[in-house]
């Protein structure tokens, strides 16, 4: 990818990640409903806010009304994460049905093209459809491991999901509008969920700029895992920027522009910047591309004790903007590593892969870790310290301790 002023050479710390479209739903046999055992849901524990009352409470950890995490054990048993188990991260309140109105009449404008146009959702559906699997992940996933306790939800692994999106390729819309105008560098997506709040758009609008080249893979999605995109996940229309952190997958989408400069709103200019502890500013890298990453989903500390003998270790791995190529597993805290095998279908470079490693364990305690590689980058051992706890992919923090009896 061509570098812009926001894409520094960060070596192992760069945030290159992968994502690719899937031509159809041939792999949907892997979408397996899961059951949650011992999910730490106790009587009297905090319930779900009304706008997501339909979700699976036992799969979720409630940090706040805007930050709701998925248990480790609730994302890895099926390749695609069920909608009822997908995490919630909102900056603005979710729009209601009344605020959205007739979904088919929802409009999105395309600007920075030779023939700017607006399209209703009904018109988009008539123009072309594709289906793509991508990892959806909050920039702060893993924040809960940082010792300086950054402000924000203390996510561990559960601010991530693998989702099947259905919608129209942005490239199709660009072609229908006569192509992108010259002199542009960014694709800038803007939501309208700030409008009902009456707040200053410069402070409240979710508008994100990414390198222009992203449009070749991006889609405007109206379905999520085979059903109309729920309001809580940005319905009726959401920008999907494969391989990029969730904030760039703008909800309640109202405009897509090709621009020469990055957006100047708060959520682009100053928020979601990866800065050193104690510092902040627009000069630091934005939360764009996701890094290569993996973690164990079974067994975990939620599992309790494990019986001695043959033990199956399961997890998920993503490759960033490149296809994940391999995963290794350690049962001794990283002293030695052995290759795991991928299982289930390959849904493209932007989806995660499930992996399995089988071993024999005697009674004792074990630290289990996974280490993914995309052929160019591999997970580092340690987190990259930064002010807000963004982009954590260190394998050590993501390891789990188990007891074998």
């Amino acid at each position: 990818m061509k570098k812009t002023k926001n894409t520094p050479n960060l070596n192992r710390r760069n945030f290159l990640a992968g994502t690719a479209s899937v031509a159809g739903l041939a792999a949907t046999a892997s979408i397996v409903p899961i059951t949650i055992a011992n999910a730490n849901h106790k009587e009297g524990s905090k319930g779900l806010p009304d706008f997501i009352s339909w979700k699976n409470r036992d799969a979720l950890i409630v940090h706040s009304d805007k930050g709701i995490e998925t248990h480790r054990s609730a994302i890895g048993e099926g390749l695609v994460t069920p909608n009822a188990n997908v995490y919630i991260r909102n900056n603005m309140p979710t729009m209601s049905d009344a605020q959205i109105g007739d979904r088919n009449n929802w409009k999105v404008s395309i600007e920075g093209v030779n023939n700017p146009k607006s399209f209703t959702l009904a018109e988009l559906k008539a123009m072309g459809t594709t289906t793509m699997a991508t990892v959806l992940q909050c920039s702060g996933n893993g924040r809960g491991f940082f010792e300086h306790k950054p402000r924000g939800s203390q996510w561990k692994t559960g601010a991530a999901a693998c989702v099947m999106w259905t919608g129209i390729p942005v490239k199709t819309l660009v072609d229908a509008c006569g192509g992108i105008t010259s002199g542009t560098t960014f694709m800038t997506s803007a939501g309208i969920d700030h409008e009902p709040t009456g707040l200053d758009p410069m402070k409240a609008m979710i508008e994100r700029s990414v390198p222009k080249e992203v449009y070749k893979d991006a889609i405007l999605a109206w379905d999520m895992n085979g059903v109309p995109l729920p309001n809580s996940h940005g319905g009726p229309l959401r920008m999907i920027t494969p391989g990029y952190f969730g904030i760039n997958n703008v909800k309640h989408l109202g405009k897509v522009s090709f621009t020469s400069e990055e957006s100047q709103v708060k959520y682009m200019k100053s928020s979601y910047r990866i800065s050193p502890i104690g510092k902040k500013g627009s000069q630091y890298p934005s939360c764009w591309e996701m890094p290569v990453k993996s973690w164990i989903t079974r067994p975990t500390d939620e599992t309790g004790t494990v019986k001695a003998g043959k033990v199956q270790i399961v997890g998920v791995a993503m490759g960033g903007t490149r296809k994940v190529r391999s995963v290794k597993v350690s049962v001794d805290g990283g002293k030695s590593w052995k290759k795991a095998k991928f299982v289930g279908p390959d849904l493209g470079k932007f989806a995660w892969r499930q992996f399995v490693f089988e071993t024999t364990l005697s009674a004792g305690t074990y630290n289990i870790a996974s280490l993914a590689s995309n052929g160019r980058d591999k997970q580092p051992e340690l987190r990259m310290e930064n002010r807000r706890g963004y982009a954590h992919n260190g394998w050590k923090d993501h390891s789990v301790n188990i007891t074998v009896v």
Side-chain angles (χ1 to χ4, degrees), residues 47-55 65 68 232:
L48 298 176
D50 290 343
F51 76 100
I52 53 166
S53 60
W54 54 274
K55 282 188 175 284
D65 284 357
I68 298 173
S232 55

Side-chain angles (χ1 to χ4, degrees), residues 43-63:
E43 289 298 323
S45 61
K46 189 173 182 180
L48 298 176
D50 290 343
F51 76 100
I52 53 166
S53 60
W54 54 274
K55 282 188 175 284
N56 179 3
R57 177 64 186 89
D58 284 342
L60 303 172
I61 303 164
V62 178
H63 296 289

Side-chain angles (χ1 to χ4, degrees), residues 120-121 126 147 214 257 262 295 309 319 347 351 367:
T120 65
L121 180 55
E147 292 182 358
V214 176
S257 305
E262 292 180 8
W295 62 88
L347 298 184
N367 177 258

Side-chain angles (χ1 to χ4, degrees), residues 226-241:
V227 300
L229 184 61
N231 296 359
S232 55
H233 291 290
L237 194 66
R238 181 172 188 170
M239 170 62 76
I240 303 301
T241 51

Side-chain angles (χ1 to χ4, degrees), residues 65-315:
D65 284 357
K66 293 183 178 182
I68 298 173
E69 179 173 4
T70 309
H71 281 287
R72 275 190 190 241
S73 57
I75 61 171
E77 295 298 328
L79 184 59
V80 172
T81 311
N83 287 352
N85 294 12
V86 176
Y87 77 98
I88 290 290
R89 172 65 181 105
N90 290 333
N91 284 296
M92 289 292 108
T94 288
M95 294 184 71
S96 67
D97 287 339
Q99 290 166 341
I100 290 171
D102 185 336
R103 293 170 75 94
N104 281 326
N105 289 334
W106 181 273
K107 289 186 177 181
V108 60
S109 62
I110 311 298
E111 301 178 4
V113 288
N114 290 312
N115 298 303
K117 296 180 182 179
S118 291
F119 300 90
T120 65
L121 180 55
E123 289 171 333
L124 293 179
K125 290 180 177 180
M127 292 174 65
T129 301
T130 190
T131 295
M132 171 189 293
T134 78
V135 173
L136 181 68
Q137 181 180 212
C138 178
S139 312
N141 197 29
R143 177 183 290 132
F145 296 116
F146 285 75
E147 292 182 358
H148 71 288
K149 298 298 180 186
R151 182 170 60 87
S153 295
Q154 298 301 299
W155 316 108
K156 293 295 182 67
T157 62
C162 188
V163 177
M164 278 278 196
W165 308 102
T166 297
I168 185 169
V170 173
K171 189 176 185 304
T172 299
L173 291 175
V174 167
D175 291 345
C177 294
I180 300 170
T181 56
S182 61
T184 58
T185 307
F186 300 96
M187 179 177 73
T188 299
S189 306
I192 66 167
D193 42 346
H194 66 287
E195 292 184 359
T197 70
L199 297 172
D200 180 355
M202 294 302 292
K203 296 180 179 179
M205 179 187 292
I206 310 302
E207 184 173 71
R208 292 288 297 178
S209 301
V210 297
K212 181 174 67 175
E213 292 86 351
V214 176
Y215 92 92
K216 297 175 183 177
D217 291 318
I219 70 171
L220 306 190
W222 53 74
D223 267 25
M224 179 180 181
N225 289 339
V227 300
L229 184 61
N231 296 359
S232 55
H233 291 290
L237 194 66
R238 181 172 188 170
M239 170 62 76
I240 303 301
T241 51
Y244 278 60
F245 280 114
I247 184 63
N248 305 289
N249 294 249
V250 174
K251 300 175 182 177
H252 304 300
L253 186 69
K255 182 172 69 174
V256 180
S257 305
F258 292 90
T259 59
S260 59
E261 300 290 337
E262 292 180 8
S263 171
Q264 294 298 298
V265 305
K266 169 191 170 184
Y267 284 105
M268 186 71 216
K269 185 175 182 180
S270 58
S271 295
Y272 293 92
R273 296 282 171 170
I274 305 171
S275 60
I277 296 173
K279 297 183 179 181
K280 58 182 178 179
S282 60
Q283 71 270 30
Y284 296 107
S286 188
C287 290
W288 276 354
E289 297 153 310
M290 296 185 292
V292 59
K293 188 174 182 178
S294 68
W295 62 88
I296 306 297
T297 60
R298 176 165 55 84
T300 71
D301 56 357
E302 298 173 14
T303 307
T305 57
V306 178
K307 290 184 178 180
K310 187 177 179 180
V311 176
Q312 187 180 73
I313 298 168
V314 181

